[in-house]
Amino acid sequence: MSRLSLNTGLAQPRIAAARVGIGGPVGSGKTALVECLIPALAARGIDIAVITNDLVTAEDAERIRRSGLIDPARVSAVEAGACPHTVIREDPTLNIEAADELERRFPGVELILLESGGDNLASTFSRDLTDFWMFVIDVAGGDDIPRKRGPGVIRADLLVINKVDLAPYVGVDLERMHREALNVRGNRPVLLTTCRRGDGIESIVDLLERDVLFRT
């Protein structure tokens, strides 16, 4: 999935950074997931950068910059100015330019995380923008989300069910929700997380190393 980027100033073509999208509804835990992935990826020696998308602010980018988890210069913000899916699907030019700029400034970057603004179950990423994308839902949104079969749930390379620790408190049958998610996705990957505690993060990093960076 990583692309060859031809650079006429180099004797050999450079491997471009893999671009991984993270989408999902408002409050599902996308930014929390990014904050968990940053140290987990760095611990495995993976050189990363981050792009966040918000409607008319850079709030998520500022949150990540202040976290101390990553060099603030490696975090870029895109303001959609419209429905969040517009700049990740219909016209991803702003995000493509932001990713290209990060690669120019940090030529060793291997993986760029692109967090979408909060959207609905129809949110998807353009393949012109990302090599791999995951969709985040959470148990507090209801265990009927997989049965609604939204494009984000169905088409994502990875579905993440977050906040699983809340299942007993919101009346969710987590085992059934997981089973139904696997069923509607044809048994493609579904992983369970509690980002607040870091549970399940290593399984996501394992998948990214294997299926995106092709490390064994």
Coordinates of all heavy atoms in Angstrom, one line a residue, residues 70-141:
I70 N 4.1 13.8 20.7 CA 4.7 13.9 19.4 C 5.2 15.3 19.2 O 4.7 16.3 19.8 CB 3.7 13.5 18.3 CG1 4.3 13.4 16.9 CG2 2.5 14.5 18.3 CD1 3.4 12.8 15.8
D71 N 6.2 15.5 18.4 CA 6.7 16.8 18.0 C 5.6 17.6 17.4 O 5.0 17.2 16.4 CB 7.9 16.7 17.0 CG 8.4 18.0 16.4 OD1 7.9 19.1 16.8 OD2 9.3 17.9 15.6
P72 N 5.2 18.8 18.0 CA 4.0 19.5 17.5 C 4.2 19.9 16.0 O 3.1 20.0 15.3 CB 4.1 20.8 18.3 CG 4.7 20.4 19.6 CD 5.8 19.4 19.2
A73 N 5.4 20.0 15.5 CA 5.5 20.3 14.0 C 5.1 19.2 13.1 O 4.9 19.4 11.9 CB 7.0 20.6 13.8
R74 N 4.9 18.0 13.7 CA 4.5 16.8 12.9 C 3.0 16.7 12.9 O 2.5 15.7 12.4 CB 5.1 15.5 13.5 CG 6.6 15.4 13.2 CD 7.2 14.2 13.9 NE 8.6 13.9 13.4 CZ 8.9 13.1 12.5 NH1 8.0 12.4 11.9 NH2 10.2 12.9 12.2
V75 N 2.3 17.6 13.4 CA 0.8 17.6 13.5 C 0.3 18.8 12.6 O 0.5 19.9 12.9 CB 0.3 17.7 14.9 CG1 -1.2 17.6 14.9 CG2 0.9 16.6 15.8
S76 N -0.5 18.4 11.6 CA -1.1 19.4 10.7 C -2.6 19.4 10.9 O -3.2 18.4 11.2 CB -0.8 19.2 9.3 OG 0.6 19.4 9.0
A77 N -3.2 20.6 10.7 CA -4.7 20.7 10.8 C -5.3 21.1 9.5 O -4.8 22.0 8.8 CB -5.0 21.7 11.9
V78 N -6.4 20.5 9.1 CA -7.2 20.8 8.0 C -8.6 21.3 8.4 O -9.2 20.6 9.2 CB -7.3 19.6 7.0 CG1 -8.4 19.9 5.9 CG2 -6.0 19.3 6.3
E79 N -9.0 22.4 8.0 CA -10.4 22.9 8.3 C -11.3 22.6 7.1 O -11.1 23.2 6.0 CB -10.4 24.4 8.6 CG -9.6 24.7 9.9 CD -9.6 26.2 10.3 OE1 -10.5 26.9 9.8 OE2 -8.8 26.6 11.1
A80 N -12.3 21.7 7.4 CA -13.1 21.3 6.3 C -14.0 22.4 5.7 O -14.2 22.6 4.5 CB -14.0 20.1 6.7
G81 N -14.6 23.2 6.7 CA -15.5 24.3 6.2 C -16.8 23.8 5.7 O -17.6 24.6 5.3
A82 N -17.0 22.5 5.8 CA -18.3 22.0 5.3 C -18.4 20.6 6.0 O -17.8 20.3 7.0 CB -18.3 21.8 3.8
C83 N -19.3 19.7 5.4 CA -19.4 18.4 6.0 C -18.1 17.7 6.0 O -17.3 17.8 5.1 CB -20.4 17.6 5.2 SG -22.1 18.1 5.2
P84 N -17.8 17.1 7.1 CA -16.4 16.5 7.3 C -16.0 15.6 6.2 O -14.8 15.5 5.8 CB -16.5 15.7 8.6 CG -17.5 16.5 9.4 CD -18.6 16.9 8.4
H85 N -17.0 14.8 5.6 CA -16.6 13.8 4.6 C -16.2 14.5 3.3 O -15.5 13.9 2.4 CB -17.7 12.8 4.3 CG -19.0 13.4 3.9 ND1 -20.1 13.5 4.8 CD2 -19.4 14.0 2.8 CE1 -21.1 14.0 4.1 NE2 -20.7 14.3 2.9
T86 N -16.5 15.8 3.1 CA -16.2 16.5 1.9 C -14.7 16.4 1.6 O -14.3 16.1 0.5 CB -16.6 17.9 1.9 OG1 -18.0 18.0 2.2 CG2 -16.3 18.7 0.6
V87 N -13.8 16.7 2.6 CA -12.4 16.8 2.4 C -11.7 15.5 2.6 O -10.4 15.4 2.4 CB -11.8 17.9 3.3 CG1 -12.2 19.3 2.9 CG2 -12.1 17.6 4.8
I88 N -12.4 14.4 2.9 CA -11.7 13.1 2.9 C -12.2 12.2 1.8 O -11.6 11.2 1.5 CB -11.9 12.4 4.3 CG1 -13.4 12.0 4.5 CG2 -11.3 13.2 5.4 CD1 -13.6 11.1 5.7
R89 N -13.3 12.6 1.1 CA -13.9 11.8 0.0 C -14.1 12.5 -1.3 O -13.5 12.3 -2.3 CB -15.2 11.1 0.5 CG -15.8 10.1 -0.5 CD -17.0 9.5 0.1 NE -18.1 10.4 0.3 CZ -19.1 10.3 1.2 NH1 -19.0 9.3 2.1 NH2 -20.1 11.2 1.3
E90 N -15.0 13.5 -1.2 CA -15.4 14.2 -2.5 C -14.2 15.0 -3.1 O -13.9 14.8 -4.3 CB -16.6 15.2 -2.3 CG -17.9 14.5 -2.3 CD -18.3 13.8 -1.0 OE1 -17.5 14.1 0.0 OE2 -19.3 13.1 -0.9
D91 N -13.5 15.7 -2.3 CA -12.4 16.5 -2.8 C -11.3 16.5 -1.7 O -11.3 17.4 -0.8 CB -12.8 17.9 -3.1 CG -11.6 18.8 -3.7 OD1 -10.5 18.2 -3.9 OD2 -11.8 20.0 -3.9
P92 N -10.5 15.5 -1.6 CA -9.5 15.4 -0.6 C -8.2 16.2 -0.8 O -7.2 15.9 -0.2 CB -9.2 13.9 -0.6 CG -9.3 13.5 -2.0 CD -10.4 14.3 -2.5
T93 N -8.3 17.2 -1.7 CA -7.1 17.9 -2.1 C -6.3 18.5 -0.9 O -5.1 18.5 -0.8 CB -7.4 19.1 -3.1 OG1 -8.1 18.5 -4.2 CG2 -6.2 19.8 -3.5
L94 N -7.1 19.1 0.1 CA -6.5 19.8 1.2 C -5.7 18.8 2.0 O -4.6 19.0 2.5 CB -7.5 20.5 2.1 CG -8.2 21.7 1.5 CD1 -9.3 22.2 2.4 CD2 -7.1 22.8 1.3
N95 N -6.3 17.6 2.2 CA -5.6 16.6 3.0 C -4.4 16.0 2.3 O -3.3 15.7 2.9 CB -6.6 15.4 3.4 CG -7.3 15.8 4.6 OD1 -6.8 15.7 5.7 ND2 -8.6 16.1 4.4
I96 N -4.5 15.8 1.0 CA -3.4 15.3 0.2 C -2.2 16.3 0.2 O -1.1 15.9 0.4 CB -3.8 15.1 -1.3 CG1 -4.8 13.9 -1.4 CG2 -2.6 14.8 -2.2 CD1 -5.4 13.7 -2.7
E97 N -2.5 17.6 0.1 CA -1.5 18.6 0.2 C -0.9 18.6 1.6 O 0.4 18.8 1.7 CB -2.1 20.0 -0.2 CG -2.5 20.1 -1.6 CD -3.1 21.5 -1.9 OE1 -3.5 22.2 -0.9 OE2 -3.3 21.8 -3.1
A98 N -1.7 18.5 2.6 CA -1.1 18.5 4.0 C -0.2 17.3 4.2 O 0.9 17.4 4.8 CB -2.2 18.5 5.0
A99 N -0.6 16.1 3.7 CA 0.3 14.9 3.8 C 1.6 15.1 3.0 O 2.6 14.7 3.4 CB -0.5 13.7 3.3
D100 N 1.4 15.6 1.8 CA 2.6 15.8 0.9 C 3.6 16.8 1.6 O 4.8 16.6 1.6 CB 2.2 16.4 -0.4 CG 1.5 15.4 -1.3 OD1 1.6 14.2 -1.0 OD2 1.0 15.8 -2.3
E101 N 3.1 17.8 2.3 CA 3.9 18.8 3.0 C 4.6 18.2 4.1 O 5.8 18.4 4.4 CB 3.1 20.0 3.4 CG 3.8 21.0 4.3 CD 5.0 21.7 3.6 OE1 5.0 21.6 2.3 OE2 5.9 22.2 4.3
L102 N 3.9 17.3 4.9 CA 4.6 16.6 6.0 C 5.7 15.7 5.5 O 6.8 15.6 6.1 CB 3.5 15.8 6.8 CG 2.6 16.6 7.7 CD1 1.5 15.7 8.2 CD2 3.4 17.1 8.9
E103 N 5.5 15.1 4.4 CA 6.5 14.2 3.8 C 7.7 15.0 3.3 O 8.9 14.6 3.5 CB 6.0 13.4 2.7 CG 5.0 12.3 3.2 CD 4.8 11.2 2.1 OE1 5.7 10.7 1.6 OE2 3.6 11.0 1.8
R104 N 7.5 16.2 2.8 CA 8.6 17.1 2.4 C 9.4 17.5 3.6 O 10.6 17.6 3.6 CB 8.1 18.3 1.6 CG 7.7 18.0 0.2 CD 7.4 19.2 -0.6 NE 6.2 20.0 -0.2 CZ 5.0 19.8 -0.7 NH1 4.8 18.9 -1.6 NH2 4.0 20.5 -0.2
R105 N 8.7 17.9 4.7 CA 9.4 18.4 5.9 C 10.1 17.3 6.7 O 11.1 17.5 7.4 CB 8.4 19.2 6.7 CG 8.0 20.5 6.1 CD 7.4 21.4 7.1 NE 6.0 21.0 7.4 CZ 5.5 20.8 8.6 NH1 6.3 20.9 9.7 NH2 4.2 20.4 8.7
F106 N 9.5 16.1 6.6 CA 10.0 15.0 7.4 C 10.2 13.8 6.5 O 9.3 12.9 6.4 CB 9.1 14.6 8.6 CG 8.8 15.8 9.5 CD1 7.6 16.5 9.4 CD2 9.7 16.1 10.5 CE1 7.4 17.6 10.2 CE2 9.5 17.2 11.3 CZ 8.4 17.9 11.2
P107 N 11.2 13.8 5.7 CA 11.4 12.8 4.6 C 11.5 11.3 5.1 O 11.3 10.4 4.3 CB 12.7 13.2 3.9 CG 13.4 14.1 4.9 CD 12.3 14.8 5.7
G108 N 11.7 11.1 6.4 CA 11.8 9.8 6.9 C 10.5 9.2 7.4 O 10.4 8.1 7.8
V109 N 9.4 10.0 7.3 CA 8.1 9.6 7.9 C 7.6 8.4 7.1 O 7.7 8.3 5.9 CB 7.1 10.7 7.8 CG1 6.7 11.1 6.4 CG2 5.9 10.4 8.7
E110 N 7.1 7.4 7.9 CA 6.7 6.1 7.3 C 5.2 6.0 7.3 O 4.6 5.3 6.4 CB 7.2 4.9 8.1 CG 8.7 4.8 8.2 CD 9.1 3.7 9.1 OE1 9.1 2.5 8.7 OE2 9.5 4.1 10.3
L111 N 4.5 6.7 8.2 CA 3.0 6.5 8.3 C 2.4 7.8 8.8 O 2.9 8.4 9.7 CB 2.7 5.4 9.3 CG 1.3 4.9 9.4 CD1 1.3 3.4 9.8 CD2 0.5 5.7 10.5
I112 N 1.4 8.2 8.1 CA 0.6 9.4 8.4 C -0.8 9.0 8.8 O -1.5 8.4 8.1 CB 0.6 10.4 7.3 CG1 2.0 10.9 6.9 CG2 -0.2 11.7 7.7 CD1 2.1 11.8 5.7
L113 N -1.2 9.4 10.1 CA -2.5 9.2 10.5 C -3.4 10.4 10.2 O -3.0 11.5 10.5 CB -2.5 9.0 12.1 CG -1.8 7.8 12.6 CD1 -1.7 7.9 14.2 CD2 -2.3 6.5 12.1
L114 N -4.5 10.2 9.5 CA -5.4 11.2 9.1 C -6.7 11.1 9.8 O -7.5 10.2 9.5 CB -5.6 11.2 7.6 CG -4.4 11.5 6.7 CD1 -3.9 10.3 6.0 CD2 -4.7 12.6 5.7
E115 N -7.0 11.9 10.8 CA -8.2 11.8 11.6 C -9.3 12.7 10.9 O -9.1 13.9 10.7 CB -8.0 12.2 13.0 CG -9.3 12.2 13.8 CD -9.2 12.9 15.1 OE1 -8.0 13.3 15.5 OE2 -10.2 13.2 15.7
S116 N -10.4 12.1 10.6 CA -11.5 12.9 10.0 C -12.2 13.6 11.1 O -12.2 13.3 12.3 CB -12.5 11.9 9.4 OG -13.7 12.6 9.0
G117 N -13.0 14.7 10.7 CA -13.9 15.3 11.7 C -15.0 14.3 12.0 O -15.3 13.3 11.2
G118 N -15.7 14.5 13.1 CA -16.8 13.6 13.4 C -17.9 13.7 12.4 O -18.3 14.7 11.9
D119 N -18.4 12.5 12.0 CA -19.3 12.4 10.9 C -20.4 11.3 11.2 O -20.4 10.8 12.3 CB -18.6 12.1 9.6 CG -19.3 12.7 8.4 OD1 -20.5 12.8 8.4 OD2 -18.6 13.0 7.4
N120 N -21.1 10.9 10.2 CA -22.1 9.9 10.4 C -21.6 8.5 9.9 O -20.5 8.4 9.4 CB -23.5 10.3 9.8 CG -23.3 10.6 8.4 OD1 -22.6 10.0 7.6 ND2 -24.0 11.7 8.0
L121 N -22.5 7.6 9.8 CA -22.2 6.2 9.4 C -21.9 6.1 7.9 O -21.4 5.1 7.4 CB -23.3 5.2 9.8 CG -23.6 5.1 11.3 CD1 -24.6 4.0 11.5 CD2 -22.3 4.8 12.1
A122 N -22.2 7.2 7.2 CA -21.9 7.2 5.7 C -20.5 7.7 5.4 O -20.1 7.7 4.2 CB -22.9 8.0 5.0
S123 N -19.7 8.1 6.4 CA -18.4 8.6 6.2 C -17.4 7.6 5.7 O -17.3 6.5 6.2 CB -17.9 9.2 7.5 OG -16.5 9.7 7.3
T124 N -16.8 7.9 4.5 CA -15.8 7.0 4.0 C -14.6 7.9 3.4 O -14.7 9.1 3.2 CB -16.3 6.2 2.8 OG1 -16.8 7.1 1.8 CG2 -17.4 5.3 3.2
F125 N -13.4 7.2 3.3 CA -12.2 7.9 2.8 C -12.0 7.6 1.3 O -12.2 6.4 0.9 CB -11.0 7.5 3.5 CG -10.8 8.1 4.9 CD1 -11.5 7.7 6.0 CD2 -10.0 9.2 5.0 CE1 -11.3 8.3 7.2 CE2 -9.8 9.8 6.2 CZ -10.5 9.3 7.4
S126 N -11.6 8.6 0.5 CA -11.2 8.4 -0.9 C -9.9 7.5 -0.9 O -9.0 7.8 -0.1 CB -11.0 9.7 -1.5 OG -10.3 9.5 -2.8
R127 N -9.8 6.6 -1.8 CA -8.6 5.8 -2.0 C -7.5 6.7 -2.6 O -6.3 6.3 -2.7 CB -8.9 4.6 -2.9 CG -9.7 3.5 -2.1 CD -9.0 3.0 -0.9 NE -9.8 1.9 -0.3 CZ -9.4 1.3 0.9 NH1 -8.3 1.7 1.5 NH2 -10.2 0.4 1.4
D128 N -7.9 7.9 -3.1 CA -6.8 8.8 -3.6 C -6.1 9.4 -2.4 O -4.9 9.9 -2.6 CB -7.4 9.9 -4.4 CG -8.0 9.4 -5.8 OD1 -7.4 8.5 -6.3 OD2 -8.9 10.1 -6.3
L129 N -6.7 9.3 -1.3 CA -6.1 9.9 -0.1 C -5.4 8.9 0.8 O -4.3 9.1 1.3 CB -7.2 10.7 0.7 CG -6.8 11.3 2.1 CD1 -5.7 12.3 1.9 CD2 -8.0 11.9 2.8
T130 N -6.1 7.8 1.1 CA -5.6 6.8 2.0 C -5.3 5.5 1.4 O -6.0 5.0 0.5 CB -6.6 6.6 3.2 OG1 -7.8 6.2 2.7 CG2 -6.8 7.9 4.0
D131 N -4.3 4.8 2.0 CA -4.0 3.4 1.6 C -4.8 2.4 2.4 O -5.0 1.3 2.0 CB -2.5 3.1 1.9 CG -1.6 4.1 1.1 OD1 -1.6 4.1 -0.1 OD2 -0.9 4.9 1.8
F132 N -5.2 2.9 3.6 CA -5.9 2.0 4.6 C -6.7 2.9 5.4 O -6.3 4.0 5.8 CB -4.9 1.2 5.4 CG -5.5 0.3 6.4 CD1 -5.5 -1.1 6.1 CD2 -5.9 0.7 7.7 CE1 -6.0 -2.0 7.0 CE2 -6.4 -0.2 8.6 CZ -6.4 -1.6 8.3
W133 N -8.0 2.5 5.8 CA -8.7 3.4 6.7 C -9.5 2.5 7.7 O -10.0 1.4 7.4 CB -9.6 4.4 6.0 CG -10.7 3.9 5.1 CD1 -10.6 3.3 3.9 CD2 -12.1 3.9 5.4 NE1 -11.8 3.0 3.4 CE2 -12.7 3.3 4.3 CE3 -12.8 4.3 6.5 CZ2 -14.1 3.2 4.3 CZ3 -14.2 4.2 6.5 CH2 -14.8 3.6 5.4
M134 N -9.7 3.1 8.9 CA -10.5 2.4 9.9 C -11.6 3.3 10.3 O -11.6 4.6 10.2 CB -9.6 2.1 11.1 CG -9.0 3.3 11.8 SD -7.8 2.8 13.1 CE -6.3 2.5 12.1
F135 N -12.7 2.7 10.8 CA -13.9 3.4 11.2 C -14.1 3.1 12.7 O -14.1 1.9 13.0 CB -15.1 3.0 10.3 CG -16.3 3.9 10.4 CD1 -16.3 5.1 9.8 CD2 -17.4 3.5 11.2 CE1 -17.4 6.0 9.9 CE2 -18.5 4.3 11.3 CZ -18.5 5.6 10.6
V136 N -14.3 4.1 13.5 CA -14.5 3.9 14.9 C -15.9 4.2 15.3 O -16.5 5.2 15.0 CB -13.6 4.9 15.7 CG1 -13.6 4.6 17.2 CG2 -12.1 4.8 15.2
I137 N -16.5 3.2 16.0 CA -17.8 3.4 16.6 C -17.6 3.1 18.1 O -16.6 2.6 18.5 CB -18.9 2.5 16.0 CG1 -18.5 1.0 16.2 CG2 -19.1 2.8 14.6 CD1 -19.6 0.0 15.7
D138 N -18.6 3.4 18.9 CA -18.5 3.0 20.4 C -19.8 2.4 20.9 O -20.9 2.7 20.3 CB -18.1 4.3 21.1 CG -19.2 5.3 21.3 OD1 -19.4 6.0 20.3 OD2 -19.8 5.4 22.4
V139 N -19.7 1.7 21.9 CA -20.8 0.9 22.5 C -21.9 1.9 23.0 O -23.1 1.6 22.9 CB -20.4 -0.1 23.6 CG1 -19.5 -1.1 23.0 CG2 -19.8 0.7 24.8
A140 N -21.5 3.1 23.4 CA -22.5 4.1 23.9 C -23.4 4.5 22.8 O -24.5 5.1 23.1 CB -21.8 5.2 24.6
G141 N -23.0 4.4 21.6 CA -23.9 4.7 20.4 C -25.0 3.7 20.2 O -25.8 4.0 19.3

